[in-house]
Amino acid sequence: MITAERKPLDEIIDYIKPFSRILLVGCNECVTVCAAGGRKEVGLLSSALQMAFMKEGKVLDVKELTLERQCDPEYVEELVPLIDQVDAVVSMACGCGVQEVAKRFKEKPVFPAVNTKFMGASERQGVWAERCQGCGDCVLGMTGGICPVARCSKRLLNGPCGGSSNGKCEINPEVDCAWQLIWDRLKSLGIEKTYEEIVPAKDWRTSRDGGPRKIIREDLA
Amino acid sequence: MDTFEPVIVAFCCHYCAYTAADMAGTMRYSYPPNVYIIRVPCSGKVDALHIMKAFQKGADGVYVAGCLEGDCHFKTGNIKAAHMVAYLKGLLDEIGIGAERLEMFTMSAGMGERFARIATDFTERIRKLGPNPAKAGSDKTDKVAVG
């Protein structure tokens, strides 16, 4: 999922200070799962913002709506009946959702309420960790299902660096060395030989280095 | 300020604090009438939104009262409630309402005296803090509107 964290309230309040009617839009997908921008977080933020305004002797009218998905135009369309009743939109979706709303309603200011972080997985309740960088050329088949691009601090592709110590990365003793994990996994699968194969320099053009990316499925488009 | 009577909302678990309140009555311990008790099936059932709405609608202080650690009828409801309260304290500080207006307490059903003491102490704490700043702000708004 795409993970996110709520922005500091001061920053959100700064965005909406000039307005008295806002539409607070949540998203039912990734940000709901990582408890950053689902229906519940929309309710909490709405309440917090209203109280922050009340404290200053001002009134903030908040309309709340959580869309099934904010990154799809057909769902964003559901905002149409509400948009004229507000001065600005605050989105609790990831950056994709914020941009879809901004694209659809060009005449309304749209502000993000969360910082979009990374593509990750739940390690346990309340803990999410980065698992994928969307490099566009997946190497998981060679690395026992553990990604060196997302999980090795240096994105190394041919084994660990000298900073690997007791299975941990030198950047932080809490961070596992991805190559230690890969080696352990290859060993348990009995395919240590894979480790010997030299991986040539990765073509990063499939990643962000090639500029903004697009997928076109001719059969669907 | 002398006449300020705080409004306290207490979310009390049916299995402990709510029964403890009953026990306080049976034992003839008095506690301030400022405390409005809301019975919940477990302190873990109290939602962050319930607490925020209580403040938004004018409560000056809110507390959640659950079972003693290890005694939750639903195993870990009280632990979850404590975590949620800790998170909300941060949020209340962020918006300037103040973390000290929210608290989590634990007690057993037999602790009538503890229930009465907590209700009294918490009411006094909030009385010292004064009215909920959001409420004070909204009073200001009313005056502006009238004026």
Side-chain angles (χ1 to χ4, degrees):
Chain A
M1 87 194 85
I2 295 174
T3 59
E5 266 182 328
R6 179 175 55 76
K7 279 181 175 288
L9 266 169
D10 283 349
E11 187 180 340
I12 304 172
I13 291 169
D14 266 351
Y15 287 140
I16 61 168
K17 220 184 279 173
F19 310 106
S20 58
R21 302 175 307 162
I22 63 159
L23 174 57
L24 189 53
V25 194
C27 178
N28 240 343
E29 296 280 350
C30 315
V31 288
T32 294
V33 183
C34 68
R39 186 169 287 122
K40 187 168 176 171
E41 290 73 33
V42 165
L44 275 179
L45 181 61
S46 164
S47 190
L49 291 176
Q50 286 179 74
M51 273 197 270
F53 269 60
M54 282 160 73
K55 207 175 121 262
E56 302 300 323
K58 297 195 288 185
V59 177
L60 180 69
D61 177 23
V62 185
K63 302 217 179 301
E64 301 170 23
L65 189 64
T66 300
L67 303 178
E68 196 54 39
R69 255 200 308 284
Q70 242 183 86
C71 54
D72 263 336
E74 53 265 50
Y75 293 110
V76 175
E77 214 53 31
E78 290 172 24
L79 300 178
V80 170
L82 295 170
I83 204 78
D84 285 336
Q85 302 168 38
V86 299
D87 309 316
V89 182
V90 176
S91 166
M92 296 198 83
C94 70
C96 311
V98 180
Q99 292 183 64
E100 274 307 304
V101 175
K103 187 181 82 181
R104 174 62 183 85
F105 303 107
K106 292 189 170 61
E107 72 291 357
K108 293 283 172 195
V110 178
F111 303 106
V114 302
N115 289 323
T116 308
K117 294 285 184 172
F118 50 77
M119 284 187 271
S122 310
E123 280 194 341
R124 56 188 162 85
Q125 176 75 15
V127 179
W128 297 274
E130 185 160 22
R131 290 287 181 268
C132 179
Q133 286 204 345
C135 71
D137 185 14
C138 192
V139 297
L140 287 169
M142 298 186 295
T143 56
I146 294 152
C147 181
V149 178
R151 301 177 67 177
C152 167
S153 303
K154 292 176 174 170
R155 301 201 253 179
L156 297 179
L157 293 170
N158 287 291
C161 69
S164 176
S165 167
N166 299 318
K168 299 293 176 189
C169 177
E170 66 181 341
I171 62 148
N172 183 339
E174 299 286 306
V175 175
D176 288 322
C177 167
W179 275 102
Q180 181 70 55
L181 296 176
I182 293 168
W183 171 250
D184 292 344
R185 175 94 169 120
L186 293 178
K187 231 170 36 173
S188 72
L189 290 170
I191 50 170
E192 297 100 311
K193 264 198 159 324
T194 318
Y195 182 73
E196 302 295 328
E197 287 170 25
I198 305 293
V199 181
K202 192 170 166 61
D203 181 356
W204 290 103
R205 282 175 302 178
T206 57
S207 184
R208 266 288 301 158
D209 305 46
R213 294 167 284 177
K214 192 179 266 192
I215 297 173
I216 301 173
R217 273 276 302 267
E218 297 288 359
D219 56 328
L220 301 173
Chain B
M1 191 60 114
D2 290 339
T3 59
F4 168 59
E5 282 300 333
V7 174
I8 312 288
V9 175
F11 291 98
C12 295
C13 161
H14 162 80
Y15 291 96
C16 54
Y18 190 79
T19 314
D22 205 13
M23 180 66 80
T26 309
M27 294 168 83
R28 299 286 184 263
Y29 286 117
S30 66
Y31 62 87
N34 309 57
V35 178
Y36 293 82
I37 295 177
I38 296 176
R39 181 169 65 154
V40 289
C42 172
S43 57
K45 189 68 191 158
V46 180
D47 195 283
L49 206 48
H50 298 150
I51 294 175
M52 292 300 279
K53 288 288 173 194
F55 280 115
Q56 202 181 329
K57 288 178 181 290
D60 299 297
V62 175
Y63 65 85
V64 179
C67 300
L68 297 170
E69 210 165 306
D71 280 355
C72 175
H73 194 75
F74 303 98
K75 307 273 187 212
T76 55
N78 52 353
I79 311 281
K80 284 180 181 156
H83 289 165
M84 183 267 293
V85 165
Y87 170 77
L88 271 193
K89 274 171 161 279
L91 188 61
L92 289 172
D93 258 346
E94 262 193 286
I95 55 175
I97 300 295
E100 59 278 21
R101 292 183 182 273
L102 174 63
E103 209 54 74
M104 171 86 198
F105 297 109
T106 56
M107 64 192 74
S108 78
M111 294 177 168
E113 189 264 338
R114 177 170 164 79
F115 179 89
R117 185 157 40 83
I118 283 173
T120 309
D121 291 352
F122 191 76
T123 304
E124 284 320 303
R125 182 208 286 191
I126 302 299
R127 197 190 300 278
K128 280 198 191 94
L129 287 172
N132 172 353
K135 197 166 63 174
S138 69
D139 290 348
K140 217 164 23 180
T141 323
D142 289 342
K143 276 174 200 151
V144 170
V146 172

